[in-house]
Amino acid sequence: MSAFAQTLRHLVTIQAPVGRDPIGQPIPGGWVTHATAWADVRMVGGLEAIKAGAVVSQVKASIRMRYRTDLTAAMRVVHGATIYKVLAVLLDEERHQHVDLVCEAIK
């Protein structure tokens, strides 16, 4: 087993929006399971700020999994009780070994 495969120790669920409204935006709360996959979930940073008098925090994460081309930035990833919004999909186009998802924790 390769070193890369050994780091994929978190089972995650990838969800896609169920549908879109008339202007093409995802319908809030409408999600369906697209796939489950083994991944490496890493927290890469965080930020806490006060906006409009309220404390707002952001947690950034990087999720790496085996190479696949069916993922988009409209999807989300669920790991345990945490839901991650996918901000960008970065494909390993050179070797086709992995895909990195740039994410933000939303719950």
Side-chain angles (χ1 to χ4, degrees):
M1 181 181 291
S2 71
F4 170 66
Q6 291 175 349
T7 63
L8 304 179
R9 62 184 174 272
H10 305 112
L11 187 60
V12 299
T13 301
I14 303 160
Q15 296 181 331
V18 171
R20 299 198 175 268
D21 64 18
I23 60 171
Q25 296 298 313
I27 297 172
W31 295 95
V32 64
T33 297
H34 176 74
T36 55
W38 289 99
D40 182 22
V41 180
R42 294 183 182 192
M43 299 304 140
V44 293
L47 170 72
E48 189 170 289
I50 298 175
K51 292 183 181 179
V55 176
V56 177
S57 65
Q58 273 184 333
V59 176
K60 300 284 185 175
S62 175
I63 300 175
R64 178 173 281 190
M65 60 186 65
R66 293 191 195 298
Y67 185 85
R68 56 190 307 151
T69 59
D70 61 338
L71 305 177
T72 70
M75 296 178 169
R76 69 183 191 178
V77 176
V78 179
H79 177 242
T82 307
I83 299 172
Y84 298 96
K85 177 182 177 182
V86 177
L87 303 175
V89 178
L90 308 174
L91 296 172
D92 173 21
E93 291 292 1
E94 187 175 319
R95 291 184 270 157
H96 293 209
Q97 288 186 343
H98 65 271
V99 59
D100 289 315
L101 304 177
V102 179
C103 299
E104 177 179 86
I106 58 173
K107 183 176 176 187

